[in-house]
Amino acid sequence: TRFRGVTGVQTCALPICFPVTIGHSTNEQWRNTPTHITLIYGPPSAGKTTYVNKHRKPGEMVIDYDTIAQALGSPDTHGHDPIHESVNAARNAVLRTVRQGKVKTPRVWIISSNPNAPAIFPYHDLVRIDPGLEQTLKQARQAGRPKGWLDLIRNWYKQTSDIPTANATVNSRRW
């Protein structure tokens, strides 16, 4: 996975290369900064943003696809297909600055509905928000989520069926 293991260097061993050292630390500088990164992940409509809003402090950065979409002009709180490409580009740019250690806030909260989020994003703490399939479907209906949301939730659970469903906080790294 991209952000696990020891950061280091690789030597180019191909015949067309001179024996040079290629540094791979540019995107690993987040490990060396005082900014604490908490990754919040779970299915759509699980309550990830609610959790962050309850626990965050003033001055802490929150990276949330839906919030970025609204900042870019989406009139909706969820379901931003017309501007998806732009939202993703903006989100990735912010995530890149986090990975590069350029963020100066005391904490960064990354919110993701990607079931593979722990393997994709950098983090010091990992929090899985997961009220279970039936409760998540109920919350989506009550919140009036866009058409197709219930299928997204069901697909999330299909992709993560081998992972325990209890909410958990995990320290991912020894510091």
Side-chain angles (χ1 to χ4, degrees), residues 2-168:
R2 194 179 309 174
F3 295 105
R4 297 196 181 181
V6 178
T7 305
V9 295
Q10 291 182 343
T11 302
C12 180
L14 298 173
I16 59 171
C17 297
F18 293 103
V20 296
T21 302
I22 304 168
H24 289 279
S25 60
T26 304
N27 286 333
E28 297 287 330
Q29 290 304 310
W30 64 272
R31 296 176 186 269
N32 304 317
T33 67
T35 299
H36 190 87
I37 303 169
T38 301
L39 173 59
I40 309 296
Y41 86 113
S45 301
K48 299 175 298 296
T49 302
T50 301
Y51 178 91
V52 170
N53 288 338
K54 182 178 177 183
H55 292 90
R56 71 183 283 212
K57 295 180 178 140
E60 295 179 343
M61 178 186 282
V62 177
I63 303 171
D64 178 33
Y65 179 91
D66 294 318
T67 303
I68 294 169
Q70 288 182 302
L72 293 178
S74 176
D76 303 311
T77 57
H78 294 80
H80 315 283
D81 288 342
I83 61 170
H84 172 74
E85 299 267 338
S86 298
V87 175
N88 243 11
R91 183 173 184 245
N92 288 340
V94 175
L95 286 167
R96 193 168 22 262
T97 65
V98 171
R99 286 185 184 111
Q100 293 171 348
K102 295 179 179 178
V103 174
K104 305 300 180 205
T105 61
R107 180 181 294 261
V108 172
W109 300 86
I110 300 172
I111 299 173
S112 179
S113 289
N114 187 328
N116 298 313
I120 297 170
F121 300 109
Y123 64 88
H124 297 99
D125 293 323
L126 176 66
V127 179
R128 178 174 166 155
I129 305 296
D130 185 1
L133 175 61
E134 292 308 316
Q135 180 62 33
T136 305
L137 291 169
K138 180 181 175 183
Q139 289 172 190
R141 287 184 194 105
Q142 289 174 339
R145 292 295 191 252
K147 184 178 179 179
W149 221 251
L150 301 182
D151 288 336
L152 288 174
I153 293 168
R154 287 185 190 100
N155 287 337
W156 194 93
Y157 279 98
K158 285 178 187 173
Q159 292 178 41
T160 60
S161 61
D162 61 334
I163 301 172
T165 59
N167 288 345

